[in-house]
């Protein structure tokens, strides 16, 4: 990134920090609204504590597991549904149900079925799966039929068609779906933890901050969620890009 865009981004962040500070001064109530300095102090105080890293690691592992399971299942199910119309018809009511039922309803049912320990895994999976399933089908349907005809004429192997025809058509839809689903997985996963309150998780700490009316801690944990989810998004998309490039290295 060149200096000018970096300076512009820093300036924008400072502007919104100033707006945040002015709003906190006008409201003048640390419970209703707290300024950036107390939040940064709360964030700094969290970092050295072992419980902080245990909570971050626990939530990161469970939400990431739910996302990755949904990614592979959504990609596989979407590919099969594109290939077999009957399977797509059978899955349609299930996908509609997963897309329309509120997360809170799923959380309550999941608490009855599996308890609170693996709640974030289950909810992240349910939220992410329909997004990747639908985007996989849309990407495969966007494949140029002329390229498929050419592959048939030249007797291109199924593996070659996947690598050189289907994958380039699918990748933009898959990347876009992942960008949306990654944020949704963290929002839904942490929300599930707040409701289920499993031990040693980010959701538990958010719940305790609410109980003790500690707005600074609440916002500090919110910053943690933003940072960790952004890191996971960049890491996953980087691995996805490298995985696709590796596929293109193979010959037909």
């Amino acid at each position: 990134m060149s200096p000018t865009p970096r300076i512009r981004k820093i300036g924008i962040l400072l502007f919104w920090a100033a707006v945040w500070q002015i709003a906190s001064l006008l409201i003048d109530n640390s419970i209703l609204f707290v300024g950036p300095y107390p939040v940064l102090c709360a964030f700094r105080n969290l970092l050295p504590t072992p419980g902080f890293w245990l909570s971050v690691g626990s939530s990161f592992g469970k939400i990431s597991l739910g996302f990755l399971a949904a990614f592979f299942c959504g990609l596989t199910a979407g590919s099969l549904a594109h290939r077999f119309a009957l399977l797509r018809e059978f899955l349609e009511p299930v996908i509609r149900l997963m897309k329309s039922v509120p997360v809170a309803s799923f959380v309550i049912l999941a608490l009855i079925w599996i308890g609170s320990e693996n709640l974030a895994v289950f909810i992240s999976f349910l939220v992410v799966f329909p997004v990747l399933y639908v985007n996989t089908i849309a990407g495969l349907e966007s494949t140029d039929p002329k390229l498929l005809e050419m592959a048939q004429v030249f007797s291109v192997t199924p593996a070659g068609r996947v690598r050189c025809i289907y994958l380039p058509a699918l990748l933009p839809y898959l990347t876009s779906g992942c960008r949306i689903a990654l944020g949704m997985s963290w929002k839904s996963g942490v929300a599930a933890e707040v409701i289920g309150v499993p031990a040693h998780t980010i959701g538990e700490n958010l719940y305790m901050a609410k109980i003790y009316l500690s707005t600074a801690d609440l916002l500090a944990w919110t910053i943690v969620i933003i940072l960790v989810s952004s890191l996971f998004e960049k890491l996953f998309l980087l691995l996805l890009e490298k995985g696709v490039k590796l596929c293109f290295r193979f010959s037909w």
Side-chain angles (χ1 to χ4, degrees):
M1 184 184 294
S2 60
T4 302
R6 186 180 293 113
I7 293 172
R8 187 186 302 120
K9 285 192 173 184
I10 294 173
I12 291 172
L13 289 175
L14 291 175
F15 169 79
W16 286 113
V19 172
W20 182 2
Q21 178 63 31
I22 292 170
S24 69
L25 292 174
L26 291 175
I27 295 172
D28 195 23
N29 189 320
S30 60
I31 295 177
L32 291 179
F33 197 81
V34 68
Y37 182 71
V39 173
L40 291 177
C41 289
F43 180 75
R44 182 192 60 194
N45 294 333
L46 287 174
L47 290 176
T49 60
F52 168 80
W53 296 105
L54 179 61
S55 298
V56 171
S58 176
S59 293
F60 180 83
K62 292 175 181 179
I63 294 172
S64 300
L65 179 60
F67 173 84
L68 292 174
F71 173 81
F72 289 110
C73 290
L75 184 61
T76 303
S79 300
L80 292 174
H82 172 73
R83 178 67 178 83
F84 304 104
L86 183 60
L87 176 62
R88 184 172 179 176
E89 291 179 13
F90 269 102
L91 290 177
E92 187 65 24
V94 178
I95 299 301
R96 287 186 178 274
L97 182 70
M98 294 171 72
K99 289 166 61 178
S100 58
V101 173
V103 173
S105 299
F106 278 131
V107 171
I108 294 170
L109 288 172
L111 280 171
I112 298 171
W113 295 338
I114 61 175
S116 63
E117 285 303 314
N118 296 311
L119 190 60
V121 179
F122 181 73
I123 296 302
S124 298
F125 179 90
L126 285 179
V127 170
V128 171
F129 178 81
V131 177
L132 295 178
Y133 172 85
V134 170
N135 277 48
T136 297
I137 293 177
L140 293 174
E141 288 181 342
S142 69
T143 305
D144 190 345
K146 293 181 179 179
L147 290 178
L148 294 175
E149 291 178 7
M150 182 190 69
Q152 186 174 4
V153 169
F154 289 98
S155 301
V156 179
T157 63
R161 296 184 190 188
V162 170
R163 285 194 297 270
C164 300
I165 299 177
Y166 286 110
L167 193 56
L170 174 62
L171 187 59
Y173 290 85
L174 194 60
T175 303
S176 176
C178 286
R179 289 185 187 278
I180 297 170
L182 282 161
M184 292 174 62
S185 68
W186 275 91
K187 288 181 181 180
S188 59
V190 173
E193 290 178 347
V194 171
I195 296 174
V197 200
H200 310 301
T201 60
I202 293 176
E204 181 194 27
N205 287 281
L206 287 173
Y207 182 80
M208 297 307 296
K210 185 206 77 168
I211 292 294
Y212 290 107
L213 300 177
S214 179
T215 308
D217 285 338
L218 180 65
L219 293 178
W221 279 106
T222 302
I223 292 174
V224 171
I225 296 169
I226 294 171
L227 293 176
V228 175
S229 63
S230 298
L231 177 63
F232 180 57
E233 177 182 338
K234 291 182 182 299
L235 178 62
F236 180 82
L237 292 176
L238 177 63
L239 291 175
L240 180 63
E241 181 183 355
K242 288 187 177 296
V244 171
K245 287 182 179 178
L246 187 62
C247 289
F248 284 132
R249 288 182 183 178
F250 292 96
S251 63
W252 281 25

